[in-house]
Amino acid sequence: MSKYDYLVVGSGLFGAVFAHEANVRGKKVLVIDKRNHIAGNVYTEKIENINVHIYGAHIFHTNLKRVWDYVNQFAVFNRFTNSPVANYHGELYSLPFNMYTFNKMWGVVTPEEAAAKIEEQKHAANISEPKNLEEQAISLVGTDIYEKLIKGYTEKQWGRACSELPAFIIKRLPVRLTFDNNYFNALYQGIPVGGYTQMVANMLEGIEVRLGVDYLEDKDELDAVADKVVYTGPIDAYFGYQLGNLEYRSVCFENEVLDTPNFQGNAAVNYTDRETPWTRIIEHKWFEFGKDKDGNDLPKTVISREYSSEWQPGDEPYYPVNDEKNGRLYAEYKKLADAEVNVIFGGRLGEYKYYDMDAVIDSALNLADKEL
């Protein structure tokens, strides 16, 4: 087998960005992925001429101009703005929490009235220094909104009581005393026209990619073909779970093609009651305004119901459970990782971080600057 400068394990955003940067700097790179496709969890696939987000909705948003300029080399982004809707037993509320939400919940009309209502409920709950997610949420939006729009959804998502979850998980929750319906407070936002798979394929142009290759099954043989390894899989799996399993959340999807042009009228509807088993329904066509690439209306639609679950070995790990217990265990794995010669750990799974897409790309670019 030929010799490579870098073996990149995983063709998601971190792996693809690093591989591209190494390639343009004249390094010989081999990218492998155990799945039968590139692009990791941002993989999109055409169904009924709709770019379907197979592993859940991914909306690109960033305040980092460097990252925005970078991704625009590989795709044209549309002007999609994320404005999800919350469905609580058939009552519909605006997300992010804004004046539309407060008006529907309490009948208030002015920002002053909304702020007073939140303060009144926070005071009644006797919260000064929030110690967990439940207290943090009530201090941000009051008890009513917490009970209807946060509690059920969050407990389904994490599989844990809100009182057991750390406060920081919800600290970036957007709360606005305006009528701004844009969920992300980001300067740049959109969806790549043609889907994420094409964007990642453009990043990997000219680079050797092998799919259906499980690095951990043939580790010794694969390590021998490259001077260095960039590993983006789960850090605990790399070490054979020798210190125990880190905890992840997994997500499964129930996809349906419907013979109707419009199922819910929005890309994302969150089901915030505890009784509905799914967390949300995604209607993929609305990420691209219900049109095909030529601007024609699409006659059918594709929806995905999302179900959150506790990760078990063999499942896809979607995002880490960044609580204190897992933080301590990761710190021990990080010591082992730091001692590995010629192996770099990166990405959401390799660094056990709940990264947004732009942060993953920024991290990969920082690695490339340092390494190359």
Side-chain angles (χ1 to χ4, degrees), residues 11-196:
S11 63
L13 287 174
F14 191 97
V17 168
F18 182 84
H20 177 83
E21 291 304 295
N23 182 56
V24 297
R25 287 168 167 88
K27 303 296 184 183
K28 196 165 186 199
V29 183
L30 170 63
V31 176
I32 62 171
D33 202 300
K34 71 175 184 180
R35 289 172 172 168
N36 64 358
H37 60 75
I38 61 168
N41 283 3
V42 301
Y43 173 68
T44 49
E45 187 176 290
K46 272 214 180 325
I47 300 173
E48 295 294 340
N49 220 12
I50 297 164
N51 289 309
V52 173
H53 298 225
I54 296 297
Y55 300 97
H58 287 83
I59 299 143
F60 198 87
H61 57 99
T62 188
N63 283 313
L64 302 171
K65 188 172 189 302
R66 174 173 86 141
V67 170
W68 182 245
D69 290 345
Y70 186 80
V71 294
N72 274 270
Q73 297 175 84
F74 309 106
V76 173
F77 281 73
N78 68 20
R79 56 167 186 80
F80 180 79
T81 298
N82 189 28
S83 301
V85 170
N87 183 322
Y88 178 80
H89 293 307
E91 296 174 21
L92 300 181
Y93 292 90
S94 178
L95 291 175
F97 302 130
N98 62 15
M99 286 303 298
Y100 292 113
T101 320
F102 306 139
N103 174 263
K104 177 83 180 271
M105 186 69 70
W106 298 315
V108 298
V109 174
T110 68
E112 188 179 10
E113 290 172 323
K117 194 75 180 171
I118 292 169
E119 191 55 39
E120 172 195 317
Q121 296 194 349
K122 177 183 172 182
H123 182 73
N126 197 26
I127 296 165
S128 53
E129 193 60 46
K131 294 185 289 294
N132 53 46
L133 188 147
E134 179 173 284
E135 294 183 359
Q136 179 69 44
I138 292 170
S139 71
L140 285 170
V141 290
T143 313
D144 293 339
I145 289 176
Y146 166 70
E147 291 289 346
K148 280 192 173 184
L149 304 184
I150 296 174
K151 188 175 192 291
Y153 183 90
T154 304
E155 291 184 350
K156 285 188 289 187
Q157 185 183 15
W158 290 97
R160 290 155 177 78
C162 288
S163 57
E164 295 171 16
L165 289 165
F168 76 80
I169 289 176
I170 211 163
K171 275 190 174 163
R172 61 181 183 174
L173 181 76
V175 179
R176 305 208 178 104
L177 297 173
T178 68
F179 291 90
D180 181 3
N181 257 353
N182 182 0
Y183 189 86
F184 297 123
N185 187 21
L187 190 56
Y188 310 106
Q189 184 176 166
I191 302 275
V193 175
Y196 284 99

Side-chain angles (χ1 to χ4, degrees), residues 166-369:
F168 76 80
I169 289 176
I170 211 163
K171 275 190 174 163
R172 61 181 183 174
L173 181 76
V175 179
R176 305 208 178 104
L177 297 173
T178 68
F179 291 90
D180 181 3
N181 257 353
N182 182 0
Y183 189 86
F184 297 123
N185 187 21
L187 190 56
Y188 310 106
Q189 184 176 166
I191 302 275
V193 175
Y196 284 99
T197 305
Q198 185 57 54
M199 182 182 87
V200 174
N202 293 342
M203 288 179 180
L204 294 172
E205 192 175 341
I207 298 169
E208 185 179 349
V209 179
R210 297 182 196 169
L211 301 173
V213 178
D214 191 329
Y215 169 72
L216 296 177
E217 280 187 6
D218 300 301
K219 185 175 178 308
D220 292 342
E221 189 181 320
L222 288 163
D223 283 347
V225 307
D227 295 333
K228 281 194 170 183
V229 173
V230 175
Y231 175 80
T232 69
I235 189 170
D236 52 350
Y238 179 93
F239 293 105
Y241 306 105
Q242 62 181 268
L243 304 176
N245 283 5
L246 287 163
E247 291 177 301
Y248 301 88
R249 293 297 288 170
S250 196
V251 186
C252 56
F253 303 91
E254 193 177 84
N255 297 328
E256 206 176 336
V257 178
L258 301 175
D259 198 10
T260 177
N262 191 352
F263 172 74
Q264 65 186 17
N266 203 47
V269 175
N270 292 6
Y271 285 76
T272 61
D273 60 271
R274 198 70 180 84
E275 293 71 32
T276 303
W278 53 84
T279 52
R280 62 180 179 172
I281 296 179
I282 300 301
E283 188 168 6
H284 300 268
K285 70 190 296 182
W286 301 122
F287 289 129
E288 299 182 60
F289 314 114
K291 310 281 186 186
D292 65 15
K293 64 182 176 60
D294 300 315
N296 302 310
D297 290 334
L298 292 158
K300 295 188 178 183
T301 196
V302 181
I303 64 167
S304 300
R305 293 179 183 86
E306 291 188 14
Y307 300 82
S308 188
S309 61
E310 199 70 26
W311 177 85
Q312 305 292 337
D315 295 344
E316 288 294 344
Y318 275 80
Y319 48 91
V321 180
N322 288 134
D323 58 14
E324 279 184 37
K325 179 183 77 168
N326 285 291
R328 286 192 299 270
L329 181 55
Y330 169 68
E332 295 305 307
Y333 274 120
K334 177 79 164 62
K335 289 176 190 171
L336 296 181
D338 290 343
E340 286 289 292
V341 179
N342 296 327
V343 182
I344 298 163
F345 293 78
R348 183 177 272 203
L349 302 179
E351 296 176 67
Y352 199 67
K353 273 186 184 170
Y354 193 20
Y355 271 139
D356 282 332
M357 286 184 286
D358 64 329
V360 169
I361 291 167
D362 191 48
S363 176
L365 289 173
N366 288 335
L367 172 64
D369 289 344

